[in-house]
C-alpha cells in the first residue's frame, strides 16, 4: 500500500497521458497536501503551467485531467476545480481507514525503497588529527549522519567517508617537537595532552627558524616513508581516532574507523591528478604554481582567482586532494552521488573543485557532487559560539554540559524514577536536545545556541517529541496491552476515521514517506523535524478530542489504539533517521 501522494501521482500520470498524449504522462502534477482543509486534503497545481505549454485555458486543462482521472476508489466525490485551475481532492474516510490499517501492519510504515538505488558517498565530520573535536565539528557530524541514515533507509548504498585532516606541514612540526621534547615516548602521549602539545609545537615553529627547518625536513621524511617518523605519525592518528570514537559514541553517530579516508590516503594520487589536468589543458603554470582558472572567480581587483592544485614549492593544496577524492569516489567506489557536508564558508572552493572535476570528465550527469552547506553556531549575543573566556568550545565539554543540564530537569520532574533511570533519561534527552537543535532549522542559516530553548519540554524540540513518544507508550501500559500486538495485519480493518481529529492525524501519518523522500532529495533534515513536530501536535489534539481507553465502544477503542501505536512508531522511526533516541518512560 502506497501513501496518497504516490498513488495520486500515478493516477495523474495516467490521466495526463490519456488527456494530452503519452509525452505528458511524466509531467509533475505538482501535488501537495492542501494548506487549508476547506479545499480538501490534496491539491494539484499542474493545470496552470501545462496550459501555457498547450496554449489552452487552465480550467479547460484541469477539466480534461479530471475527466480522465480515476478517483472513485479514493474519494467520495469528484475532484473540485477551483480558481484558475486548482484541482482539489478529498479522500474518503473508508480509504483513509484502509490506508492507516495497512501502514500499521507494515514494518516500514508505508515507505517503499527506491526503484533505482544509487551509491551515495556522504563526506562528513572531518576532524583534525592531534586536535580535540570542538563545537565547529558538531554540525557536519550531526547533519551528515542524519542524511546518511535517511538515504540508507530508502535503499541507497551509502558509503560514509570521514575526510580526516592527517597530513601536511603541521605533522612534521608535531613529530619533530615530540622527538625533541618527549624523546619519542609516544606511548605516554594521550589526546588530552595533544591540544597543549600542538600549541607549544606551533609556537616553537613560529619562533625558532632552525626548528621550522627541521620540521619541514621531517615532513619530507614522513612522505618518504621513514620508519621512525611514520611510527610517531601513526601514534598521533591512533590517539586521535580514540578521541573521535568517544565523541561519535556519545553522539550516537554511525561513523567508524573503516569510514576514515584521511588526506594521507590520497597522497600518492595527487601527482596523477595534476598531470591529468595539465594534459586536458585545464591546469596551467602561474608564478611557479599549477592552477586552474575557473570562470566567474575574480578578486576585488578583477584579476582571476586561481584554484591552486600544486604550489610553487612542489607541494599539493587542498584542491588537489579534493579532486583526487572525487576521482577515487567515482572510479573506485562507483559513486553516483557525492554529498559534502561542509560549512558554507567553503562554498567558493567547492564550486571551483566541482567545475574542474566536471570539465575533466570525472563528474557528469550520472556522477554528481553536492555541497551541503550549513551556517555557524552563534552564542546568544549573536557572535560565534565561544566559552565565557572566549575560547573554542570543546565538543566533549558541550555534551557533558547537555547531559548535566538535562539531569537537573529530570530530577525535578521525575521523582519516581530511580537514579540509574534518571541518568539514562538525562543522557538521551541531553544529547538528543543538542542534535535536534542543530537539525531543526534550515541548515544554511546560522542558529543561536540556547540551552533553555533546546531543553524545553514545549515547542519544536527533541524533549517535546521524546516525551510525546513516551506519553503514547504509557497509554499501552495503562491499557495492559503491548503495542506490538496492535500492529498485527488482522487489525488493519479495525481502524475507523470518523472524528475530524482522527482524520487529521491519519492524513499527517500518511505524509511520513513523502517527507523522508523530500529530505533525501533536498538534503534538508529540518523538513523531517518540522513534520515530526506537526505530527506530535496533531496527536495531542487527537488525544484530547478522541478518548482512547475510555472510548464509547470496544471497536473504537481498538481503532484508536492502532492510531496511537502507528503514531508512536512513526515518531520513533523519524527520530531514528535523525539519530535521536527515544525512551518508553520519561
Amino acid at each position: 500500500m502506497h501513501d496518497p501522494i504516490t498513488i495520486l501521482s500515478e493516477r495523474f500520470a495516467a490521466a495526463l497521458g490519456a488527456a494530452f498524449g503519452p509525452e505528458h504522462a511524466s509531467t509533475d502534477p505538482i501535488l501537495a497536501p492542501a494548506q487549508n482543509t476547506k479545499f480538501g486534503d490534496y491539491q494539484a497545481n499542474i493545470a496552470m503551467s501545462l496550459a501555457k505549454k498547450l496554449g489552452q485555458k487552465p480550467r479547460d486543462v484541469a477539466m480534461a485531467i479530471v475527466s480522465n482521472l480515476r478517483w472513485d476508489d479514493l474519494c467520495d466525490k469528484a475532484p473540485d476545480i477551483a480558481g484558475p485551475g486548482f484541482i482539489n481532492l478529498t479522500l474518503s474516510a473508508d480509504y483513509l481507514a484502509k490506508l492507516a490499517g495497512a501502514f500499521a501492519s507494515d514494518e516500514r510504515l508505508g515507505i517503499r525503497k527506491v526503484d533505482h538505488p544509487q551509491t551515495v558517498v556522504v563526506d562528513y565530520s572531518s576532524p583534525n588529527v592531534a586536535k580535540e573535536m570542538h563545537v565547529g565539528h558538531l554540525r557536519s557530524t550531526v547533519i551528515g549522519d542524519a542524511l546518511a541514515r535517511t538515504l540508507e533507509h530508502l535503499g541507497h548504498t551509502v558509503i560514509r567517508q570521514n575526510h580526516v585532516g592527517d597530513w601536511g606541514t603541521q605533522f612534521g612540526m608535531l613529530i619533530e617537537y615530540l622527538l625533541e621534547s618527549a624523546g619519542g615516548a609516544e606511548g605516554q602521549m594521550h589526546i588530552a595532552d595533544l591540544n597543549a602539545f600542538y600549541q607549544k609545537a606551533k609556537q616553537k615553529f613560529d619562533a625558532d627558524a632552525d626548528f621550522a627547518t627541521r620540521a619541514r625536513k621531517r615532513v619530507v621524511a614522513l612522505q618518504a616513508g621513514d620508519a621512525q617518523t611514520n611510527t610517531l605519525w601513526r601514534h598521533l592518528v591512533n590517539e586521535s581516532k580514540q578521541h573521535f570514537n568517544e565523541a561519535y559514541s556519545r553522539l550516537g553517530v554511525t561513523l567508524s574507523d573503516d569510514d576514515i579516508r584521511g588526506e594521507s590516503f590520497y597522497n600518492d594520487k595527487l601527482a596523477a591528478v595534476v598531470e591529468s589536468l595539465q594534459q586536458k589543458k585545464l591546469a596551467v603554470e602561474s608564478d611557479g604554481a599549477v592552477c586552474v582558472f575557473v570562470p566567474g572567480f575574480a578578486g576585488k581587483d578583477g584579476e582571476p582567482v586561481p584554484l591552486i592544485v600544486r604550489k610553487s614549492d612542489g607541494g599539493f593544496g587542498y584542491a588537489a586532494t579534493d579532486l583526487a577524492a572525487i576521482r577515487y569516489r567515482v572510479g573506485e567506489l562507483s559513486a553516483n552521488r557525492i554529498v559534502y557536508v561542509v560549512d558554507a564558508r567553503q562554498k567558493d572552493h567547492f564550486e571551483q573543485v566541482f567545475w574542474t572535476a566536471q570539465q575533466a570528465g570525472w563528474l557528469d550527469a550520472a556522477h554528481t557532487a553536492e555541497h551541503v552547506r550549513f551556517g555557524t553556531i552563534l552564542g546568544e549575543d549573536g557572535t560565534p559560539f565561544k566559552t565565557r573566556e572566549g575560547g573554542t568550545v570543546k565538543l566533549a565539554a558541550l555534551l557533558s554540559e547537555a547531559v548535566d543540564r538535562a539531569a537537573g530537569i529530570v530530577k525535578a520532574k521525575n521523582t519516581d524514577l530511580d537514579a540509574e533511570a534518571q541518568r539514562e533519561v538525562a543522557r538521551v534527552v541531553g544529547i538528543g536536545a543538542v542534535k535536534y537543535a542543530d537539525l531543526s532549522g534550515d541548515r544554511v542559516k546560522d542558529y543561536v545556541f540556547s540551552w533553555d530553548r533546546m531543553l524545553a519540554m514545549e515547542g519544536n524540540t527533541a524533549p517535546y517529541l521524546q516525551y510525546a513518544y513516551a506519553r503514547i507508550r504509557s497509554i499501552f501500559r495503562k491499557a495492559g496491552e503491548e503495542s506490538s500486538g496492535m500492529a498485527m495485519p488482522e487489525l488493519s480493518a479495525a481502524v475507523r476515521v470518523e472524528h475530524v481529529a482522527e482524520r487529521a492525524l491519519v492524513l499527517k501519518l500518511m505524509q511520513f514517506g513523502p517527507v523522508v523522500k523530500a529530505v533525501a532529495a533536498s538534503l534538508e533534515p529540518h523538513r523531517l523535524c518540522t513534520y515530526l513536530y506537526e505530527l506530535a501536535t496533531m496527536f495531542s489534539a487527537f488525544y484530547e478530542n478522541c478518548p482512547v481507553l475510555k472510548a464509547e465502544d470496544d471497536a473504537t477503542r481498538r481503532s484508536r489504539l492502532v492510531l496511537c501505536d502507528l503514531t508512536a512508531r512513526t515518531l520513533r522511526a523519524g527520530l531514528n533517521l535523525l539519530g535521536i533516541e527515544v525512551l518508553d518512560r520519561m
Side-chain angles (χ1 to χ4, degrees), residues 22-262:
E23 67 273 18
H24 292 288
S26 60
T27 302
D28 183 359
I30 316 178
L31 265 166
Q35 296 297 308
N36 191 325
T37 55
K38 73 178 183 180
F39 296 123
D41 300 324
Y42 289 89
Q43 185 175 84
N45 298 335
I46 180 58
M48 281 72 75
S49 59
L50 186 57
K52 292 181 181 179
K53 296 179 181 178
L54 298 174
Q56 299 181 24
K57 295 179 180 180
R59 283 190 67 89
D60 291 342
V61 171
M63 290 175 64
I65 293 171
V66 171
S67 66
N68 286 279
L69 183 68
R70 182 186 165 206
W71 56 265
D72 56 310
D73 59 330
L74 310 178
C75 311
D76 286 331
K77 61 178 183 178
D80 175 59
I81 300 174
F86 300 110
I87 302 173
N88 298 318
L89 303 101
T90 302
L91 303 179
S92 70
D94 288 345
Y95 175 65
L96 287 175
K98 182 181 178 181
L99 267 184
F103 278 38
S105 65
D106 180 11
E107 289 184 359
R108 292 183 57 82
L109 304 172
I111 299 180
R112 284 186 60 192
K113 293 187 177 182
V114 294
D115 294 329
H116 304 290
Q118 294 182 312
T119 296
V120 185
V121 168
V122 183
D123 180 326
Y124 65 107
S125 192
S126 304
N128 292 310
V129 163
K131 292 182 181 179
E132 277 200 72
M133 292 179 72
H134 55 76
V135 69
H137 295 110
L138 179 65
R139 301 214 70 187
S140 176
T141 304
V142 170
I143 294 169
D145 202 60
L147 295 177
R149 288 168 178 263
T150 301
L151 290 161
E152 214 160 42
H153 188 68
L154 290 174
H156 297 292
T157 298
V158 173
I159 301 176
R160 294 160 174 80
Q161 295 282 272
N162 195 351
H163 192 84
V164 170
D166 66 350
W167 205 246
T169 304
Q170 69 269 31
F171 287 94
M173 173 188 77
L174 288 166
I175 295 167
E176 188 65 24
Y177 188 78
L178 179 62
L179 280 167
E180 295 185 10
S181 63
E186 70 273 10
Q188 299 175 15
M189 293 299 299
H190 301 290
I191 193 66
D193 306 313
L194 288 177
N195 272 339
F197 184 82
Y198 185 96
Q199 292 171 1
K200 291 177 181 177
K202 183 66 167 67
Q203 289 169 0
K204 185 163 186 178
F205 183 86
D206 292 338
D208 186 336
D210 289 339
F211 175 80
T213 298
R214 293 194 301 276
R216 291 189 181 96
K217 290 181 178 179
R218 185 63 60 181
V219 175
V220 175
L222 176 64
Q223 294 172 341
D226 175 71
Q228 182 188 37
T229 304
N230 273 264
T231 295
L232 294 173
W233 172 76
R234 280 194 297 272
H235 172 69
L236 292 174
V237 172
N238 290 334
E239 276 287 303
S240 298
K241 283 182 182 180
Q242 182 178 341
H243 166 67
F244 301 157
N245 289 334
E246 288 172 359
Y248 295 150
S249 177
R250 293 188 74 185
L251 279 169
V253 300
T254 53
L255 285 169
S256 70
D257 287 354
D258 292 340
D259 303 317
I260 291 177
R261 288 291 182 276

Side-chain angles (χ1 to χ4, degrees), residues 461-498:
T461 67
Y464 175 76
L465 296 178
Q466 291 167 324
Y467 179 72
Y469 174 81
R471 181 187 183 191
I472 299 173
R473 298 298 299 123
S474 72
I475 295 171
F476 287 95
R477 288 195 296 274
K478 293 176 182 177
E481 299 183 54
E482 287 296 326
S483 65
S484 59
M486 296 306 302
M488 297 298 288
E490 61 263 31
L491 292 176
S492 61
V495 177
R496 295 178 174 184
V497 181
E498 297 172 344

Side-chain angles (χ1 to χ4, degrees), residues 169 216 287-290 308 310-317:
T169 304
R216 291 189 181 96
D287 295 328
V290 177
I308 301 173
R310 191 176 69 202
K311 294 180 283 188
S312 57
D313 63 2
F316 299 96

